[in-house]
Amino acid sequence: MYKVAVVGAYDSIYGFAALGLDTFPVSDVQEGEHLLRRLAEGDYAVIYITEALAADLGHELNRYREQVLPAIIQIPGVSGNTGAGVEGVKKTVEQAVGSDILFGDNQ
């Protein structure tokens, strides 16, 4: 059975454990990079990652962009929303359907 993971700074992710998700706090970029690889190669179908950590792991995230699993989804951290998560979902949907999901083809 596939699992769901949440990766990022402890303060940003600890609440997800109450929802039954596996949380993986990381303190630096190298640790995040190694952990992401381990989770992606394991039984995790969905990996939520904080926007701050994802910004530092762009090269590593690109490895999984064209794969069906795992789905790697950016979420805001305690420092706020940068908009990167929404932009990533928007780009993925545009690629899939060929249209801007927020404005349609009128722009």
Side-chain angles (χ1 to χ4, degrees):
M1 175 181 268
Y2 289 117
K3 300 186 250 179
V4 178
V6 185
V7 180
Y10 176 80
D11 291 346
S12 296
I13 67 166
Y14 71 90
F16 288 96
L19 300 174
L21 305 179
D22 295 341
T23 56
F24 297 91
V26 295
S27 55
D28 62 56
V29 175
Q30 283 185 328
E31 182 183 7
E33 186 174 327
H34 295 294
L35 178 63
L36 183 60
R37 283 185 192 164
R38 190 182 64 157
L39 296 175
E41 293 169 2
D43 292 335
Y44 288 90
V46 178
I47 301 172
Y48 291 103
I49 185 169
T50 58
E51 291 174 337
L53 181 58
D56 293 332
L57 296 178
H59 62 283
E60 189 66 27
L61 294 176
N62 286 335
R63 300 176 87 187
Y64 307 104
R65 196 167 311 280
E66 299 297 322
Q67 295 181 12
V68 174
L69 293 178
I72 300 176
I73 303 165
Q74 295 183 40
I75 58 173
V78 293
S79 59
N81 186 351
T82 66
V86 172
E87 185 62 29
V89 171
K90 182 177 176 239
K91 284 181 182 179
T92 302
V93 172
E94 283 178 8
Q95 187 177 22
V97 300
S99 178
D100 186 325
I101 62 172
L102 297 178
F103 299 107
D105 289 328
N106 295 332
Q107 279 199 346

